[in-house]
Amino acid sequence: NIARKSRKIGEPEIVLEKQEILYYAAIYARLSVENNGIGSNSIENQIDIIQQYIKKLPNLRIVKIFVDNGKTGTNFERPAFSDMMEEVKKGVINCIVVKDLSRFGRNYLETGNYLEKIFPFLGVRFISVNDGYDSFDKDSADKKLAVILKNLVNEYIAKDISVKAASGYETKQENGEYDGGRAPYGYAFADER
């Protein structure tokens, strides 16, 4: 991280410290099910983990926190994600930090497209705290295969959960059990009276 100034033969060598690039970071947190503030993946917990991580990096400044609460990770049509990308395009943000890759997205192709094409093209640094991935870290190139595999697994998990939920509803229907939500306030189901 040092730059050497050119010199003539016989002159003393002057070493200048390389100036660190300052990154303007967005914290991005997402939950598929509306946040209830409980659990290791709660929005609050995700944000706390990211903030603790950023405190250790003097060249990162938090610009804004973006939260998609109750939004699926299987696509990128999410309001806060869209707002964040608008800030990236304006040049306000040049770094995105997430708790882990599954919080960013659970669609293998789209997630890979952002990580491998869109963010590098826009000069955006991407950090996934729990995965130990930093796109601007020279050692992250070695982790590329691991990131690809994690994205595949994240997509598989999302599809597996969907199949299990559908199977659960089918079983309830076959057994004649109620599979809907709760009655609105002031009403009671026949079996609750």
Side-chain angles (χ1 to χ4, degrees):
N1 285 345
I2 55 175
R4 299 193 184 281
K5 188 176 180 183
S6 62
R7 62 187 175 100
K8 295 178 184 173
I9 297 175
E11 285 184 354
E13 183 176 18
I14 300 172
V15 178
L16 303 172
E17 288 295 319
K18 184 177 179 184
Q19 189 171 357
E20 292 258 343
I21 296 173
L22 187 59
Y23 292 96
Y24 298 97
I27 291 177
Y28 181 73
R30 182 194 63 79
L31 274 181
S32 296
V33 179
E34 191 77 27
N35 184 28
N36 59 7
I38 300 170
S40 64
N41 271 335
S42 73
I43 295 294
E44 293 79 11
N45 186 54
Q46 290 179 50
I47 293 169
D48 186 50
I49 287 170
I50 295 167
Q51 287 175 330
Q52 295 303 317
Y53 178 83
I54 289 175
K55 282 181 184 177
K56 299 174 192 172
L57 300 174
N59 64 333
L60 256 64
R61 299 287 181 272
I62 299 171
V63 174
K64 194 169 179 184
I65 298 172
F66 295 89
V67 175
D68 276 316
N69 197 355
K71 303 297 179 189
T72 182
T74 58
N75 66 57
F76 284 87
E77 296 169 13
R78 305 176 222 143
F81 181 82
S82 296
D83 293 345
M84 180 177 68
M85 289 308 296
E86 284 301 316
E87 296 295 309
V88 166
K89 291 173 188 170
K90 290 178 189 173
V92 175
I93 294 167
N94 62 355
C95 180
I96 296 171
V97 188
V98 297
K99 177 186 170 220
D100 60 54
L101 290 165
S102 69
R103 300 300 94 212
F104 181 66
R106 288 190 181 272
N107 181 308
Y108 166 72
L109 292 175
E110 284 190 73
T111 302
N113 191 40
Y114 275 101
L115 297 180
E116 295 175 24
K117 294 180 182 173
I118 296 171
F119 290 157
F121 177 77
L122 295 172
V124 173
R125 180 179 182 180
F126 181 83
I127 300 171
S128 176
V129 176
N130 285 356
D131 297 307
Y133 178 79
D134 182 341
S135 65
F136 279 23
D137 182 7
K138 62 183 177 229
D139 296 330
S140 283
D142 299 336
K143 297 178 183 178
K144 193 171 187 175
L145 180 60
V147 168
I148 291 169
L149 291 173
K150 283 181 183 183
N151 285 333
L152 277 169
V153 168
N154 288 335
E155 182 171 349
Y156 173 77
I157 289 170
K159 288 180 180 178
D160 187 50
I161 290 170
S162 177
V163 168
K164 287 178 180 175
S167 174
Y169 284 124
E170 285 177 19
T171 303
K172 280 187 169 188
Q173 288 171 348
E174 288 171 4
N175 293 336
E177 296 175 25
Y178 178 73
D179 66 350
R182 307 293 282 148
Y185 181 76
Y187 291 88
F189 290 113
D191 60 342
E192 291 180 351
R193 286 189 240 164

